[in-house]
PDB file of all heavy atoms in Angstrom:
ATOM      1  N   SER A  15       4.807  -2.946  -3.165  1.00 93.00           N
ATOM      2  CA  SER A  15       6.262  -3.107  -3.145  1.00 93.00           C
ATOM      3  C   SER A  15       6.716  -4.013  -2.010  1.00 93.00           C
ATOM      4  O   SER A  15       7.863  -4.479  -2.023  1.00 93.00           O
ATOM      5  CB  SER A  15       6.932  -1.736  -3.020  1.00 93.00           C
ATOM      6  OG  SER A  15       6.467  -1.043  -1.871  1.00 93.00           O
ATOM      7  N   ALA A  73      23.679 -16.594 -11.231  1.00 94.00           N
ATOM      8  CA  ALA A  73      24.359 -15.867 -10.157  1.00 94.00           C
ATOM      9  C   ALA A  73      23.843 -14.437 -10.061  1.00 94.00           C
ATOM     10  O   ALA A  73      23.582 -13.925  -8.960  1.00 94.00           O
ATOM     11  CB  ALA A  73      25.863 -15.888 -10.391  1.00 94.00           C
ATOM     12  N   ALA A  81      18.607  -8.881  -3.123  1.00 97.00           N
ATOM     13  CA  ALA A  81      18.402  -7.441  -2.938  1.00 97.00           C
ATOM     14  C   ALA A  81      16.921  -7.093  -2.953  1.00 97.00           C
ATOM     15  O   ALA A  81      16.455  -6.242  -2.166  1.00 97.00           O
ATOM     16  CB  ALA A  81      19.143  -6.673  -4.037  1.00 97.00           C
ATOM     17  N   GLY A 174      -4.717  10.433  -8.081  1.00 52.00           N
ATOM     18  CA  GLY A 174      -4.759  11.838  -7.704  1.00 52.00           C
ATOM     19  C   GLY A 174      -5.900  12.583  -8.369  1.00 52.00           C
ATOM     20  O   GLY A 174      -6.347  13.624  -7.885  1.00 52.00           O
ATOM     21  N   PRO A 279     -44.551 -19.016  24.709  1.00 94.00           N
ATOM     22  CA  PRO A 279     -44.290 -20.472  24.783  1.00 94.00           C
ATOM     23  C   PRO A 279     -43.724 -21.061  23.501  1.00 94.00           C
ATOM     24  O   PRO A 279     -42.956 -22.039  23.551  1.00 94.00           O
ATOM     25  CB  PRO A 279     -45.665 -21.056  25.107  1.00 94.00           C
ATOM     26  CG  PRO A 279     -46.426 -19.934  25.743  1.00 94.00           C
ATOM     27  CD  PRO A 279     -45.927 -18.682  25.102  1.00 94.00           C
ATOM     28  N   LYS A 344     -36.312 -36.430   2.263  1.00 94.00           N
ATOM     29  CA  LYS A 344     -36.925 -37.507   3.063  1.00 94.00           C
ATOM     30  C   LYS A 344     -35.930 -38.093   4.056  1.00 94.00           C
ATOM     31  O   LYS A 344     -36.281 -38.363   5.213  1.00 94.00           O
ATOM     32  CB  LYS A 344     -37.456 -38.607   2.132  1.00 94.00           C
ATOM     33  CG  LYS A 344     -38.695 -38.216   1.355  1.00 94.00           C
ATOM     34  CD  LYS A 344     -39.289 -39.413   0.631  1.00 94.00           C
ATOM     35  CE  LYS A 344     -38.401 -39.888  -0.497  1.00 94.00           C
ATOM     36  NZ  LYS A 344     -39.006 -41.030  -1.228  1.00 94.00           N
ATOM     37  N   LEU A 349     -39.183 -37.951   7.301  1.00 92.00           N
ATOM     38  CA  LEU A 349     -40.605 -37.898   6.983  1.00 92.00           C
ATOM     39  C   LEU A 349     -40.903 -38.837   5.816  1.00 92.00           C
ATOM     40  O   LEU A 349     -40.033 -39.164   5.011  1.00 92.00           O
ATOM     41  CB  LEU A 349     -41.025 -36.478   6.614  1.00 92.00           C
ATOM     42  CG  LEU A 349     -40.907 -35.410   7.708  1.00 92.00           C
ATOM     43  CD1 LEU A 349     -41.205 -34.038   7.125  1.00 92.00           C
ATOM     44  CD2 LEU A 349     -41.850 -35.700   8.862  1.00 92.00           C
ATOM     45  N   SER A 378     -48.724 -28.364  12.259  1.00 96.00           N
ATOM     46  CA  SER A 378     -48.369 -27.144  11.530  1.00 96.00           C
ATOM     47  C   SER A 378     -48.011 -27.483  10.089  1.00 96.00           C
ATOM     48  O   SER A 378     -47.584 -28.599   9.775  1.00 96.00           O
ATOM     49  CB  SER A 378     -47.182 -26.436  12.207  1.00 96.00           C
ATOM     50  OG  SER A 378     -46.058 -27.295  12.250  1.00 96.00           O
ATOM     51  N   ALA A 398     -26.877  -7.016  -2.818  1.00 90.00           N
ATOM     52  CA  ALA A 398     -27.091  -6.592  -1.432  1.00 90.00           C
ATOM     53  C   ALA A 398     -27.565  -5.160  -1.289  1.00 90.00           C
ATOM     54  O   ALA A 398     -27.628  -4.650  -0.173  1.00 90.00           O
ATOM     55  CB  ALA A 398     -25.796  -6.784  -0.634  1.00 90.00           C
ATOM     56  N   SER A 451     -29.603 -19.336   6.859  1.00 96.00           N
ATOM     57  CA  SER A 451     -28.803 -18.424   6.054  1.00 96.00           C
ATOM     58  C   SER A 451     -29.693 -17.663   5.060  1.00 96.00           C
ATOM     59  O   SER A 451     -30.634 -16.981   5.466  1.00 96.00           O
ATOM     60  CB  SER A 451     -27.689 -19.210   5.343  1.00 96.00           C
ATOM     61  OG  SER A 451     -26.796 -18.351   4.694  1.00 96.00           O
ATOM     62  N   ALA A 461     -42.822 -14.179   5.155  1.00 97.00           N
ATOM     63  CA  ALA A 461     -43.745 -14.117   6.294  1.00 97.00           C
ATOM     64  C   ALA A 461     -44.396 -12.736   6.401  1.00 97.00           C
ATOM     65  O   ALA A 461     -45.592 -12.631   6.729  1.00 97.00           O
ATOM     66  CB  ALA A 461     -43.003 -14.458   7.582  1.00 97.00           C
ATOM     67  N   PRO A 558      -0.791   2.108  20.926  1.00 68.00           N
ATOM     68  CA  PRO A 558      -2.049   1.382  21.148  1.00 68.00           C
ATOM     69  C   PRO A 558      -3.220   2.292  21.503  1.00 68.00           C
ATOM     70  O   PRO A 558      -4.361   1.980  21.180  1.00 68.00           O
ATOM     71  CB  PRO A 558      -1.704   0.445  22.314  1.00 68.00           C
ATOM     72  CG  PRO A 558      -0.229   0.273  22.239  1.00 68.00           C
ATOM     73  CD  PRO A 558       0.304   1.581  21.752  1.00 68.00           C
ATOM     74  N   GLN A 575      -3.099  10.814   7.096  1.00 38.00           N
ATOM     75  CA  GLN A 575      -2.723  12.153   6.695  1.00 38.00           C
ATOM     76  C   GLN A 575      -1.956  12.071   5.383  1.00 38.00           C
ATOM     77  O   GLN A 575      -1.083  11.238   5.215  1.00 38.00           O
ATOM     78  CB  GLN A 575      -1.844  12.813   7.765  1.00 38.00           C
ATOM     79  CG  GLN A 575      -2.500  12.897   9.133  1.00 38.00           C
ATOM     80  CD  GLN A 575      -3.710  13.804   9.140  1.00 38.00           C
ATOM     81  OE1 GLN A 575      -3.793  14.735   8.359  1.00 38.00           O
ATOM     82  NE2 GLN A 575      -4.657  13.512  10.025  1.00 38.00           N
ATOM     83  N   VAL A 608     -23.111 -18.661  22.538  1.00 95.00           N
ATOM     84  CA  VAL A 608     -21.654 -18.668  22.386  1.00 95.00           C
ATOM     85  C   VAL A 608     -21.059 -19.741  23.279  1.00 95.00           C
ATOM     86  O   VAL A 608     -21.662 -20.158  24.273  1.00 95.00           O
ATOM     87  CB  VAL A 608     -21.039 -17.290  22.749  1.00 95.00           C
ATOM     88  CG1 VAL A 608     -21.571 -16.208  21.833  1.00 95.00           C
ATOM     89  CG2 VAL A 608     -21.301 -16.938  24.207  1.00 95.00           C
ATOM     90  N   HIS A 649     -21.201 -20.766  11.079  1.00 96.00           N
ATOM     91  CA  HIS A 649     -22.355 -20.549  10.202  1.00 96.00           C
ATOM     92  C   HIS A 649     -22.905 -21.860   9.644  1.00 96.00           C
ATOM     93  O   HIS A 649     -24.073 -21.911   9.248  1.00 96.00           O
ATOM     94  CB  HIS A 649     -21.960 -19.634   9.047  1.00 96.00           C
ATOM     95  CG  HIS A 649     -23.089 -19.349   8.099  1.00 96.00           C
ATOM     96  ND1 HIS A 649     -24.179 -18.576   8.443  1.00 96.00           N
ATOM     97  CD2 HIS A 649     -23.317 -19.759   6.816  1.00 96.00           C
ATOM     98  CE1 HIS A 649     -25.014 -18.508   7.428  1.00 96.00           C
ATOM     99  NE2 HIS A 649     -24.523 -19.226   6.431  1.00 96.00           N
ATOM    100  N   ILE A 658     -27.332 -26.271  19.429  1.00 97.00           N
ATOM    101  CA  ILE A 658     -28.655 -26.283  20.071  1.00 97.00           C
ATOM    102  C   ILE A 658     -28.905 -27.622  20.749  1.00 97.00           C
ATOM    103  O   ILE A 658     -29.431 -27.686  21.869  1.00 97.00           O
ATOM    104  CB  ILE A 658     -29.750 -25.970  19.032  1.00 97.00           C
ATOM    105  CG1 ILE A 658     -29.531 -24.575  18.423  1.00 97.00           C
ATOM    106  CG2 ILE A 658     -31.132 -26.045  19.663  1.00 97.00           C
ATOM    107  CD1 ILE A 658     -30.490 -24.230  17.302  1.00 97.00           C
TER     108      ILE A 658
END
Side-chain angles (χ1 to χ4, degrees):
S15 56
K344 288 189 291 182
L349 296 173
S378 59
S451 188
Q575 302 295 332
V608 299
H649 180 69
I658 299 175

